[in-house]
């Protein structure tokens, strides 16, 4: 086992509130002139460079900042096809209602396994090149037993954080037969998908005729829980609705979107801040020209938040966490430190992971390096590709 000392780190964001000698004023556990020792993919030592013990090899980070790798806790990377025309139409005023998903379903079903695998590989590489070291990937463009199961099988070859989203929308062939589709999702489809999934998710949205009602969502989530899966919910995206309340009541790890929340929703989420994370996906509001979720209100109320891309072919075809960070600070009034925590420790919490999101001894060495002396440059230099995942083996080139 070779240990590698990463040194020349001007600023290390650890998110470790207990780290001695760190600046805790912004709750980032910030260490200046720092070093990290990595061995076997795990963090072996963290501290000031001046006090670093010896390691087998040494890598200079070159006067740059190092942060926990981004945890993108919400994405839909398994799809084929292209919906750029739909985006263009939206920019001239056409409203999003969830109906375009069927276009991606047709293209995904028509793709071969190899084609889908290559598409996901390209998207995961794109994320890594922008600093993301953990990604959650949902199914949801197969919407039949065979294509949902293969979507998850393919996703599994890239991440353990796979989510069964057979309840994305009711596919066109089940129009007028919603309850039959829910039976399929909670029956044969679940049986075939659960072995490849850690989570189950449902698009609970009364404002879309294509999505699922509260009662249907409850049935889907209960069946998933019985099959041993953790719970996630798409909720409160297009208008006020039951998603956030349902997520809290059922102990879901996360309710995602949270664009429209009542005061009562916010109170419930704050009371459940240890168990349920509100995941905000502002790239969607950007790409659908919609009002942003009120991140400031949630943080001030004591809600646990995460930020993620929701990378998907319809409402946000961006794999970029730095883009999400820029939106969160500029459009949602989060501080840079709050936004950075939400895409690192916040994303880890939304996935109920203790081994990532915080740079501490024993955790995975999932780090990102910035071509900049401080994490503030992520916000100060929007659109500039300064973040990338750090190879724990020692290389840190592109
Ligand atoms: Zn989504």
């Amino acid at each position: 086992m070779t240990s590698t000392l990463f040194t020349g780190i001007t600023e290390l964001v650890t998110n470790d509130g207990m780290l001695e000698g760190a600046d805790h004023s912004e709750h980032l556990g910030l260490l200046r002139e720092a070093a990290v020792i990595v061995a076997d993919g795990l963090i072996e030592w963290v501290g000031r460079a001046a006090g670093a013990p010896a390691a087998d090899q040494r890598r200079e980070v070159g006067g740059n900042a190092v942060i926990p790798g981004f945890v993108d806790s919400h994405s839909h990377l398994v799809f084929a096809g292209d919906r750029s025309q739909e985006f263009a139409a939206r920019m001239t005023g056409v409203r999003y209602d969830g109906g375009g998903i069927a276009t991606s379903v047709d293209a995904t079903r028509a793709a071969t396994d190899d084609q889908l695998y290559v598409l996901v590989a390209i998207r995961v590489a794109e994320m890594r090149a922008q600093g993301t070291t953990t990604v959650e990937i949902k199914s949801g463009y197969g919407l039949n037993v065979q294509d949902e199961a293969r979507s998850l099988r393919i996703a599994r070859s890239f991440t353990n954080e796979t989510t069964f989203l057979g309840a994305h929308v009711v596919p066109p062939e089940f129009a007028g037969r919603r309850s039959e589709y829910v039976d399929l999702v909670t029956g044969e489809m679940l049986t075939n998908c659960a072995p490849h999934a850690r989570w189950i998710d449902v698009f609970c949205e009364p404002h879309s005729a294509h999505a699922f009602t509260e009662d249907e969502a409850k049935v889907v989530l209960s069946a998933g829980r019985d099959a041993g899966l953790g719970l996630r919910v798409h909720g409160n995206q297009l208008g006020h609705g039951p998603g956030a309340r349902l997520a809290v009541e059922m102990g879901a790890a996360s309710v995602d979107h949270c664009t429209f929340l009542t005061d009562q929703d916010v109170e419930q989420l704050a009371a459940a801040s240890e168990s349920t994370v509100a995941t905000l996906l502002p790239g969607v509001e950007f790409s659908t020209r919609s009002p942003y979720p009120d991140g400031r209100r949630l943080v001030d109320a004591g809600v646990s938040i995460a930020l993620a891309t929701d990378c998907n072919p319809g409402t946000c075809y961006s794999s970029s966490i730095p883009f999400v960070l820029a939106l969160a600070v500029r459009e949602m009034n989060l501080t840079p430190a709050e936004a950075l925590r939400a895409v690192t420790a916040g994303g880890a919490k939304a996935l109920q992971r203790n081994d990532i999101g915080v740079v501490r001894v024993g955790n995975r060495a999932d780090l990102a390096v910035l071509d900049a002396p401080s994490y503030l440059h992520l916000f100060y230099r929007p659109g500039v590709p300064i973040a990338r995942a750090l190879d724990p083996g020692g290389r840190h080139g592109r």
Side-chain angles (χ1 to χ4, degrees), residues 74 76 138 165 168 234 257 281 310 312:
H74 185 138
H76 304 249
K138 302 175 197 298
L165 182 59
H168 197 184
H234 279 69
H257 285 292
L281 310 165
D310 197 12
N312 78 84

Side-chain angles (χ1 to χ4, degrees), residues 113-135:
D113 291 8
D114 285 352
Q115 285 169 336
L116 275 184
Y117 181 91
V118 168
L119 287 168
V120 179
I122 289 168
R123 291 166 190 145
V124 169
E126 203 176 89
M127 287 180 156
R128 214 177 144 74
Q130 297 173 92
T132 297
T133 49
T134 301
V135 58

Side-chain angles (χ1 to χ4, degrees), residues 67 69-70 122-133 309 318-323 325 368-370 378 384-389 398:
I67 60 176
F70 301 134
I122 289 168
R123 291 166 190 145
V124 169
E126 203 176 89
M127 287 180 156
R128 214 177 144 74
Q130 297 173 92
T132 297
T133 49
T309 61
S318 173
S319 55
S320 174
I321 288 283
F323 171 60
L325 286 172
V369 61
L370 309 182
L378 281 168
V384 182
I386 62 169
R388 63 188 182 278
R398 278 184 198 280

